[in-house]
Amino acid sequence: MPSSDPLERVVLAVATFRAVDSVVALLEPLAELPFGQIVVVDSLADGRLEDLIRRRGWRVRYENASTNLGSAGNLARRLQTAASTSCQFAFAINHDGTVGPETIRSLVRVADQVPRPLGAIYPLRRYVHRGGSLRSASQGGAFHRSGAQPRTKFTRTAWSSSNGALYALAPVRKAVLPEARLWMGWEDLGYGAALESGGYAQYVANQVVMDDPYEYVLKRIGPWQRYITQKPTWYQYYSVRNLILLAQNEPRLRKVAFQKIAVELGMVALLRDQKLERLGLAARGLLDGALQRSGKWVKP
C-alpha cells in the first residue's frame, strides 16, 4: 500500500559542483521533510558542504567523487545511489533548481496513475528566462505552450530534462542507466532513449508546472527573434560530440540528433558570439564523436 505521504517513496537526488550556497538554499526548506532519502552527489569538493550538512544535522547522504563526474556521471551516480534504497522513485534536481514539495507529491500521484512499466514522469516547465513559456520535450522535438496548459492529465513523451524529473528506480535496478561517458550534454536525451528501448514509458504531467531557471537569452536579427541557450564556448564540443555518440549507438536517435546538430550550427552562424571558436569546437566534436571518443575532454 502507498504510504500516507508520497515523499516517503522518493529519494531527493541533488546534483552539485562547487555550489555550496545553492545546495544549502535548496535543502533548507526540504531537509526536514519525510523523503525516503536525500542524496547529494558532488565532485572534487573542498569539504565545506559536507561539514555544513553535518553541523545542521540534516539526514542527507553526501557523496563526493574524486574525479569530475560531469552532469552525465553525476546523474548516473545519483540514480545508482537512489536505487540502493528501498524507495520507488528518485526526484533529480540540480543545485540551482527551484522546487516545492507539493510539486514532487503531485508527480508521484500522476506516476501512480499512468500505465506500467514506468520510466519517468516529467513536469511541464515554465522557463522563466524564456518569456515564461511552457515547454516539455515530446516525440520528435518539443511542444511549446505560451498560455493554456493541456487539458489531459498526462502525455506520453520520449524524453525531457533530468532537472526536475521523477525517475522510476525499477529500470535503474535492471541496469538501465544514463551514459556517464557523455560527461556533459544530452545525457537526459540518451537516457530517455534507453528507457524507451527497455520498454519503460515516460510521461509529462501536464497539470504539474515547475519553474525552470535554465539559461536563455533573447537574440534578434531584424524583425526576427529567438531565445537561445546561454552556454560557454567549450560546451559546443560536448553538445555536438555527444549527439554523434548517441546517434551511433541508438538508431531511434539518429534523425533527431542530426536535426539538432544542424539547428545548433545554424544558430552559431547566425546568433551566437565567438563564432569561429564555437565552430572549431563543433568540428572537433564531430570528429571525436565519429571516433567514439568520450568522457571529459581538455576543456573546460
Side-chain angles (χ1 to χ4, degrees):
M1 292 292 292
S3 61
S4 57
D5 191 330
L7 298 182
E8 295 176 16
R9 300 156 60 195
V10 177
V11 175
L12 178 66
V14 181
T16 186
F17 180 69
R18 298 176 181 172
V20 175
D21 294 340
S22 295
V23 175
V24 171
L26 176 68
L27 289 180
E28 274 183 324
L30 301 174
E32 302 303 325
L33 296 176
F35 287 100
Q37 176 75 66
I38 298 176
V39 171
V40 176
V41 173
D42 206 342
S43 296
L44 303 175
D46 60 8
R48 190 161 65 94
L49 178 56
E50 184 175 19
D51 183 60
L52 282 169
I53 289 171
R54 183 177 59 253
R55 285 196 284 113
R56 290 177 184 232
W58 287 341
R59 187 177 55 89
V60 172
R61 178 172 174 175
Y62 175 82
E63 297 186 5
N64 180 25
S66 59
T67 59
N68 188 337
L69 295 172
S71 58
N74 192 297
L75 178 59
R77 182 154 170 176
R78 276 182 288 153
L79 292 182
Q80 287 176 306
T81 300
S84 70
T85 72
S86 60
C87 291
Q88 188 177 359
F89 303 105
F91 182 78
I93 189 79
N94 296 342
H95 63 82
D96 60 350
T98 55
V99 66
E102 197 52 42
T103 296
I104 305 173
R105 291 186 177 105
S106 297
L107 290 173
V108 174
R109 293 185 184 110
V110 174
D112 287 339
Q113 300 174 44
V114 300
R116 293 299 196 269
L118 174 65
I121 297 285
Y122 305 107
L124 194 65
R125 298 170 189 283
R126 182 186 294 111
Y127 283 96
V128 296
H129 299 304
R130 194 187 176 108
S133 62
L134 297 175
R135 180 189 183 196
S136 185
S138 68
Q139 299 283 356
F143 59 81
H144 300 261
R145 312 219 182 243
S146 298
Q149 293 171 231
R151 293 183 179 181
T152 56
K153 195 161 192 177
F154 52 84
T155 304
R156 183 74 182 265
T157 189
W159 71 287
S160 190
S161 170
S162 61
N163 187 27
L166 185 76
Y167 288 114
L169 290 173
V172 181
R173 293 180 179 123
K174 293 187 176 180
V176 181
L177 282 163
E179 291 195 55
R181 71 189 183 114
L182 298 178
W183 195 72
M184 185 171 297
W186 300 117
E187 64 272 6
D188 40 21
L189 172 63
Y191 191 44
L195 289 170
E196 292 290 318
S197 294
Y200 297 99
Q202 301 164 85
Y203 299 89
V204 176
N206 292 318
Q207 307 306 315
V208 183
V209 179
M210 170 187 168
D211 284 339
D212 194 323
Y214 201 86
E215 313 96 329
Y216 284 98
V217 293
L218 184 62
K219 293 284 188 175
R220 289 184 173 90
I221 299 180
W224 183 68
Q225 63 181 32
R226 181 185 176 95
Y227 284 99
I228 66 170
T229 55
Q230 181 81 317
K231 293 289 189 181
T233 55
W234 57 260
Y235 191 83
Q236 209 74 58
Y237 167 82
Y238 294 100
S239 177
V240 171
R241 185 201 68 179
N242 290 349
L243 286 169
I244 296 294
L245 290 175
L246 291 171
Q248 287 178 327
N249 295 334
E250 181 53 72
R252 71 175 65 228
L253 288 180
R254 286 173 186 167
K255 181 179 179 180
V256 68
F258 288 109
Q259 286 175 338
K260 288 181 179 299
I261 290 172
V263 168
E264 180 56 30
L265 292 178
M267 286 198 296
V268 170
L270 292 173
L271 297 171
R272 296 200 187 280
D273 56 5
Q274 299 173 276
K275 299 182 190 304
L276 291 178
E277 182 180 356
R278 289 182 186 275
L279 289 172
L281 288 164
R284 178 63 185 262
L286 285 169
L287 174 62
D288 284 359
L291 296 175
Q292 288 279 298
R293 292 172 179 158
S294 60
K296 185 179 183 299
W297 188 43
V298 294
K299 296 183 180 181

